[in-house]
Amino acid sequence: MRYFVAVAEELHFGRAALRLHMTQPPLSRAIRRLEAEVGAELFTRSPAGVGLTAVGAVFLDEARGLLEHADRVRARVGAAAAGLVSVTVGMVADGTGLGMAALAAAYRRRHPGIDVRIRDTDLTDPTCGLRAGLVDVALTRAPFDGTGLAVRTLRSDPVGVVLHADDPLARSGGLRLADLDDRRWFRFPPGTDPLWQAYWHGGRPREGPVVRTVRECQQAVLWSSTVGLAPLGHELPGDLAVVPLLDMARSRVVAAWREGDANPLIRSLVEIAVEGSEW
């Protein structure tokens, strides 16, 4: 996998071999063996150079994810061998809002010797890498496909619509989703969890710019006069305003972990999050 990623990123067997501190012939043989196992060519080879095939492009995304997971496993095994204990916490882009500092402080007090690692994800993966094994527990927002996951609600936040500050609707004390039917919305890329998309798109397909991060959402409103939803209570740039949505279900902040994972550090984090009044 590492050989393949090196060649895919360099698009040159010689440079990839130098990067991997090996000679080119065994690298070429290893890639040929990999292609035989996959059952398809991963690279095009011509006098003009090396390129990824369509299969190779798909394989590259998967290979990077697998290698990231392998690195995480290696780090955890190494920490365990050294007598250290760690837990990786995934967080969705907005950090789930206020109270994070208090939660972190409470967890440190209860587990002063634990190495807590944080992995931020954008708005395209509400499980924060949980399914891919990149995190042990996710502090995120529902709804999303919970198959194979345990999910515990921590709190719920009211939701509003983000508008340009000079938008006539921005002066309203409250709006309904129907008031926004003729507007362009920022939306998430194809392949994003359908339940997640449906919620943040107000329950119906929308037209507008595709976004992946909170900042991209804000910039879409500033530059393209689109609208979109966001939990109330978050700071916004001065040229933006948020108006409460009167008929929108509240956004649930949740902790999620893999079903059957008995890691006590996960259970402790969830307990602290549920018990903490400041959270």
Side-chain angles (χ1 to χ4, degrees):
M1 288 290 183
R2 294 191 189 280
Y3 290 178
F4 165 74
V5 170
V7 177
E9 291 178 348
E10 298 291 344
L11 292 179
H12 192 283
F13 277 86
R15 289 196 298 270
L18 288 174
R19 169 173 156 180
L20 294 165
H21 306 290
M22 63 188 301
T23 59
Q24 185 172 333
L27 174 60
S28 297
R29 289 194 295 271
I31 296 299
R32 285 295 189 191
R33 286 196 301 271
L34 179 60
E35 289 176 319
E37 292 179 14
V38 172
E41 287 195 345
L42 302 174
F43 296 103
T44 59
R45 301 162 175 86
S46 71
V50 177
L52 277 171
T53 65
V55 174
V58 172
F59 196 78
L60 178 58
D61 286 340
E62 298 296 334
R64 283 172 170 158
L66 288 170
L67 289 174
E68 185 176 355
H69 180 57
D71 288 340
R72 176 176 169 270
V73 170
R74 182 183 296 107
R76 292 191 67 183
V77 170
L84 303 174
V85 183
S86 67
V87 62
T88 302
V89 181
M91 296 184 186
V92 77
D94 73 341
T96 69
L98 304 174
M100 189 62 64
L103 176 60
Y107 195 75
R108 286 199 309 271
R109 286 193 298 270
R110 187 175 297 186
H111 303 285
I114 300 302
D115 178 21
V116 180
R117 301 170 185 177
I118 303 300
R119 183 179 189 270
D120 279 330
T121 58
D122 62 26
L123 297 171
T124 65
D125 181 12
T127 69
C128 307
L130 189 59
R131 295 190 187 283
L134 303 178
V135 301
D136 299 302
V137 58
L139 297 177
T140 182
R141 291 185 181 273
F144 50 80
D145 179 8
T147 304
L149 303 178
V151 180
R152 180 73 178 271
T153 298
L154 305 179
R155 70 160 195 268
S156 62
D157 297 329
V159 173
V161 57
V162 180
L163 303 159
H164 203 285
D166 61 6
D167 190 305
L169 293 181
R171 296 190 291 272
S172 174
L175 294 169
R176 297 184 178 275
L177 286 168
D179 298 326
L180 308 169
D181 281 348
D182 61 343
R183 299 299 188 96
R184 283 166 49 83
W185 288 49
F186 53 71
R187 55 195 177 92
F188 300 137
T192 303
D193 185 293
L195 294 175
W196 177 259
Q197 288 196 76
Y199 178 84
W200 292 109
H201 293 168
R204 51 169 284 189
R206 302 289 181 177
E207 293 297 326
V210 173
V211 297
R212 292 173 172 80
T213 67
V214 171
R215 181 165 177 77
E216 287 179 3
C217 295
Q218 296 172 351
Q219 294 301 317
V221 178
L222 287 172
W223 289 84
S224 304
S225 298
T226 58
V227 302
L229 307 185
L232 298 183
H234 290 268
E235 292 186 8
L236 293 172
D239 291 332
L240 296 182
V242 61
V243 177
L245 275 173
L246 304 178
D247 58 349
M248 184 70 187
R250 293 169 71 94
S251 170
R252 290 189 297 126
V253 176
V254 302
W257 62 99
R258 288 177 292 278
E259 282 184 350
D261 192 335
N263 186 340
L265 294 175
I266 296 175
R267 185 167 58 251
S268 178
L269 178 64
V270 175
E271 289 173 354
I272 293 171
V274 171
E275 295 168 1
S277 58
E278 64 272 50
W279 169 254

